[in-house]
Amino acid sequence: MSDSNHTSTSFFLTGLPGLEAVHTWLSIPLCAMYVASLAGNSLILWVVRSEPSLHQPMYYFLSMLAVTDLGLSAFTLPTMLPIYMLGLREVTVDVCLAQLFFIHTFSIMESSVLLTMAFDRFVAISNPLRYGTILTSPRIASLGLAIVVRSIGLHIPAPIMLKKLPYCQNRLLSHSYCLHPDVMKLACADTHINSAYGLIVVLSTLGVDSVLIVLSYALILQTVLSIASKAEQLKALNTCVSHICAVLLFYTPTIGLSMIHRFGRQVSLCTRVLLSYLHIFTPPVLNPVVYTIKTKQIRLRMLHLF
């Protein structure tokens, strides 16, 4: 194997294939979505902090969700915009590895936050009288710390393992930002250990979290159906709508992208890139919209602001 295969110092990212002539124009909606994500999630954080009536567990978890959405957007923009605005597709290995670490870390953080929000809804509906005593501020802080430690700890090995691999002369990635399975495929070495590690992380985080969220809603539904009044049943379920939307916005493209990376070898590159954009931009852009529409206190505060 030639030395150049082992000493590659950069990768090349991919924009939307076949649309290179209009990449500059495509940068406009990308910038708009990033600004919408930044503005929407920042406003959520400001409203929760400034409105005393929102100093409750549900809104603390919503603030955590907004922070993870901001982080997810912030670590994809530095490589995406240069592709579309300037045509710069090259990224150094170190920058690429740092980016994939933060993207995967914030993705797992978001999954973990959605799980804690499901637990929050379960406690609020099944044990409303003890809601404040179960989800105290110290416990919420401990949950937040556990989410951070879990997400960072699971992904520290990823860049270290990828850094040790030799890479072939074909260094073209299939996305506009770096992802673990995407970088791993470019290695000129046995990557079974890396692949197994990635699968274990996905199953132990996204897999376990999604199963526990479904279980939480099964218990919530059981509790709701035991309520005699139809009006009270609808009122209880209505408090879960925002969270259900957030779960679907996050997990649908995430699961689809994971399956395509591992099993969809015949899927077109354009489809992969579009799905990856849904994965990155849909939750940060739409989560603030959903929670503003469905949460009266946040909606009124926003209307007062504007």
Side-chain angles (χ1 to χ4, degrees):
M1 188 180 295
S2 64
D3 291 340
S4 62
N5 290 355
H6 292 272
T7 58
S8 298
T9 58
S10 61
F11 296 115
F12 291 91
L13 301 167
T14 301
L16 278 171
L19 298 175
E20 288 80 6
V22 293
H23 271 187
T24 303
W25 293 104
L26 290 174
S27 67
I28 297 175
L30 287 175
C31 284
M33 285 189 287
Y34 178 73
V35 171
S37 169
L38 182 64
N41 288 290
S42 297
L43 281 172
I44 290 290
L45 291 173
W46 177 78
V47 167
V48 172
R49 181 179 178 182
S50 62
E51 181 59 50
S53 65
L54 298 180
H55 294 176
Q56 301 175 32
M58 174 182 174
Y59 301 107
Y60 291 146
F61 291 130
L62 178 58
S63 297
M64 293 182 194
L65 186 66
V67 170
T68 60
D69 281 338
L70 285 171
L72 200 57
S73 298
F75 284 102
T76 54
L77 186 72
T79 57
M80 289 185 68
L81 282 187
I83 294 173
Y84 288 95
M85 297 182 72
L86 305 172
L88 300 177
R89 301 191 300 122
E90 189 171 3
V91 59
T92 64
V93 170
D94 290 337
V95 170
C96 186
L97 296 181
Q99 185 184 46
L100 70 84
F101 168 77
F102 284 110
I103 287 177
H104 288 298
T105 296
F106 277 107
S107 292
I108 298 308
M109 282 186 187
E110 181 142 357
S111 175
S112 303
V113 171
L114 290 172
L115 174 59
T116 58
M117 293 175 83
F119 175 68
D120 167 80
R121 291 298 82 210
F122 169 69
V123 174
I125 291 173
S126 64
N127 245 317
L129 297 179
R130 296 185 57 205
Y131 179 63
T133 56
I134 294 175
L135 289 173
T136 60
S137 294
R139 283 178 180 166
I140 293 171
S142 297
L143 285 171
L145 180 61
I147 288 171
V148 172
V149 171
R150 176 204 194 200
S151 304
I152 293 176
L154 284 173
H155 286 102
I156 286 177
I160 297 173
M161 294 168 70
L162 290 173
K163 181 73 173 178
K164 295 179 179 180
L165 292 174
Y167 293 97
C168 304
Q169 291 181 345
N170 176 22
R171 292 170 286 147
L172 181 63
L173 298 169
S174 58
H175 297 291
S176 304
Y177 48 86
C178 298
L179 295 173
H180 177 266
D182 206 17
V183 174
M184 182 180 64
K185 288 179 182 178
L186 302 183
C188 291
D190 182 21
T191 58
H192 282 93
I193 294 178
N194 299 70
S195 183
Y197 155 77
L199 186 60
I200 290 170
V201 170
V202 169
L203 291 177
S204 62
T205 53
L206 300 178
V208 171
D209 291 353
S210 59
V211 169
L212 292 177
I213 289 172
V214 170
L215 178 61
S216 297
Y217 272 100
L219 295 173
I220 287 172
L221 188 60
Q222 183 181 31
T223 303
V224 169
L225 291 177
S226 67
I227 300 173
S229 169
K230 292 290 183 182
E232 290 298 318
Q233 288 181 352
L234 291 174
K235 184 179 178 181
L237 288 174
N238 191 51
T239 63
C240 301
V241 172
S242 300
H243 179 253
I244 292 172
C245 290
V247 169
L248 292 175
L249 288 171
F250 176 77
Y251 277 102
T252 303
T254 299
I255 293 172
L257 194 60
S258 297
M259 293 300 101
I260 284 176
H261 268 299
R262 299 187 188 281
F263 309 112
R265 298 187 182 275
Q266 304 302 318
V267 176
S268 69
L269 182 57
C270 188
T271 301
R272 294 188 185 198
V273 174
L274 284 173
L275 191 57
S276 73
Y277 289 174
L278 284 176
H279 164 64
I280 290 296
F281 283 113
T282 303
V285 172
L286 293 184
N287 280 342
V289 176
V290 169
Y291 275 94
T292 299
I293 292 173
K294 293 300 296 179
T295 308
K296 182 179 179 181
Q297 296 95 319
I298 295 177
R299 184 171 65 252
L300 292 176
R301 188 68 174 176
M302 291 285 192
L303 290 172
H304 177 73
L305 175 65
F306 292 107

